[in-house]
Amino acid sequence: MKEAIVHAGPRVEIIDSPIPKPEPGQVVIKVEVSGCNPKDWKIPEWMPNMSPSNGGDDIAGTVSAVGEGVTEFKKGDRVAAFHEMMKPGGSYAEYAVAWAHTTFFLPEKTSFEEGAAIPLAALTAAVGLYASDRLDLPQPWSPATKPCPLIVYGASSAVGTYVLQLAIRSNIHPLICVAGRAQDHVKSMIDTSKGDTIVDYRKGDEAVVQGLKDALKGQKVEYAFDAVSEKGSIKNIADVLDTKTGKATFVLPPPGSDFSGSYSEMPEGVKQSMTNVGSVHGPVKDLGYVYSRYFTRGLEEGFFRGQKQEVIPGGLGGIQKGLENLKDGTASAVKYVYKISETPGAGSGQ
């Protein structure tokens, strides 16, 4: 099969590899569409001593084989899945591997393109919002019964898009959304009648802090989901978050840390956490299982949808262009996806 290997730069190399086989508890998926994420170009630069690899984690396609103990899925099922990061069998290939508990059915009305836009970012949102050691907010099936202000920094990003959708299902309002040129995308999801509003980060940090304060209208804010975690977002949140009971979760570690530590900008009384979506393959496995299935229900019933997708032509040959766009900031409120069948030589065998 054809497989794409991502080097620092980013630079993408397409190679021939054997089709993977599932271990117990895993499924092998014939990839129709792969999504990509900013970490796909960042990790090769953050970890230059690591061997270049197939870093794709967003899979959409049909089940090709199931491992021992897998009873929920069978060959031919339409699915999307979150591949375990930093492991073999990533989505930048004709066939990919995922654990069954982070695999979920795609309704017939849901395209593979939409399915590929969901797994990593949506599970990141779920972990950050609901895990007991992150924000620990009310679950959608036990929604909030009183106002619960939440700052969503980077609300138009892939993670931010899913934070908003899930928070609304949890009746979490007002949502104070920090966004830039993609504000119309955010407006299409929020409910201004419940106090939800948008603060434009392009006006500068001082204006952002004032905008957050104005949006709160004197209310105390105890929760912040920072889907940016750089370029002033930490300090701006710190200036408004309650210093005694506040909780903030971030998608990036503090500069120079090994995915741990704390942000110095945050007051000592604020509970900080990093939302590492990889924890669904570890300590919050049950949460990953439940929300993966909840996404299927949301797609079926229409209360959940994938972020807008843009297909980069060329299949695996288009990955480098997509990663370059992510690196230089071209992407805005869009998820880059790749149709694997467009790869030159795809389908020619093992």
Side-chain angles (χ1 to χ4, degrees):
M1 70 171 187
K2 299 298 181 183
E3 181 176 27
I5 304 300
V6 181
H7 300 256
R11 179 177 65 85
V12 175
E13 173 190 14
I14 298 176
I15 65 172
D16 290 307
S17 299
I19 295 174
K21 299 184 184 301
E23 296 179 5
Q26 292 182 335
V27 296
V28 171
I29 300 166
K30 184 180 187 297
V31 185
E32 295 293 335
V33 181
S34 171
C36 71
N37 296 279
K39 65 94 188 154
D40 299 349
W41 70 262
K42 291 179 178 180
I43 286 179
E45 296 193 4
W46 287 346
M47 302 178 178
N49 295 326
M50 184 185 75
S51 296
S53 65
N54 168 357
D57 295 316
D58 283 327
I59 309 166
T62 56
V63 174
S64 174
V66 300
E68 181 183 348
V70 175
T71 58
E72 188 174 0
F73 303 103
K74 65 182 186 304
K75 186 174 181 177
D77 285 340
R78 300 178 78 253
V79 297
F82 173 44
H83 164 261
E84 184 175 4
M85 295 189 297
M86 315 288 282
K87 298 290 186 179
S91 67
Y92 292 158
E94 293 184 71
Y95 292 83
V97 176
W99 292 99
H101 77 276
T102 53
T103 301
F104 55 97
F105 291 108
L106 289 180
E108 288 295 330
K109 65 181 180 180
T110 302
S111 69
F112 288 124
E113 289 84 353
E114 183 175 10
I118 293 171
L120 183 149
L123 284 170
T124 302
V127 171
L129 287 170
Y130 304 120
S132 60
D133 58 348
R134 274 75 165 196
L135 297 185
D136 196 20
L137 286 161
Q139 310 278 352
W141 42 87
S142 184
T145 56
K146 59 183 180 180
C148 181
L150 171 66
I151 296 171
V152 183
Y153 216 110
S156 68
S157 67
V159 172
T161 293
Y162 298 120
V163 169
L164 295 182
Q165 292 185 67
L166 292 172
I168 287 167
R169 288 294 292 181
S170 291
N171 196 35
I172 295 168
H173 299 281
L175 295 170
I176 316 301
C177 307
V178 182
R181 64 183 186 271
Q183 292 185 32
D184 287 345
H185 171 66
V186 177
K187 287 177 183 176
S188 71
M189 293 182 283
I190 62 176
D191 187 346
T192 56
S193 72
K194 295 184 178 180
D196 298 350
T197 191
I198 299 172
V199 177
D200 192 336
Y201 70 79
R202 295 172 297 179
K203 296 180 180 179
D205 292 341
E206 186 175 335
V208 168
V209 172
Q210 188 59 52
L212 294 171
K213 291 178 178 177
D214 292 344
L216 289 165
K217 298 177 180 178
Q219 296 179 88
K220 179 171 71 171
V221 61
E222 297 179 290
Y223 303 100
F225 196 125
D226 188 350
V228 177
S229 306
E230 58 185 356
K231 300 177 181 177
S233 63
I234 298 97
K235 179 65 166 61
N236 293 342
I237 290 171
D239 284 347
V240 296
L241 202 62
D242 188 271
T243 58
K244 295 182 179 178
T245 59
K247 292 183 179 181
T249 195
F250 306 96
V251 296
L252 296 177
S257 76
D258 57 349
F259 295 89
S260 62
S262 59
Y263 283 97
S264 60
E265 297 95 327
M266 281 286 150
E268 288 187 9
V270 171
K271 181 180 179 182
Q272 300 184 44
S273 63
M274 182 188 161
T275 290
N276 178 2
V277 67
S279 60
V280 298
H281 292 124
V284 293
K285 179 179 177 179
D286 288 352
L287 184 149
Y289 172 88
V290 169
Y291 275 94
S292 292
R293 279 124 195 90
Y294 192 65
F295 299 155
T296 298
R297 181 185 168 204
L299 292 166
E300 288 174 339
E301 298 186 5
F303 64 77
F304 184 81
R305 63 183 187 273
Q307 188 187 30
K308 180 181 177 182
Q309 310 96 51
E310 179 180 330
V311 177
I312 303 292
L316 298 177
I319 291 173
Q320 181 164 320
K321 176 61 176 174
L323 296 182
E324 288 171 347
N325 287 353
L326 289 174
K327 184 175 182 178
D328 66 23
T330 299
S332 177
V334 68
K335 184 79 165 182
Y336 292 133
V337 300
Y338 313 94
K339 294 182 178 179
I340 305 304
S341 63
E342 294 181 356
T343 306
S348 59
Q350 298 187 28

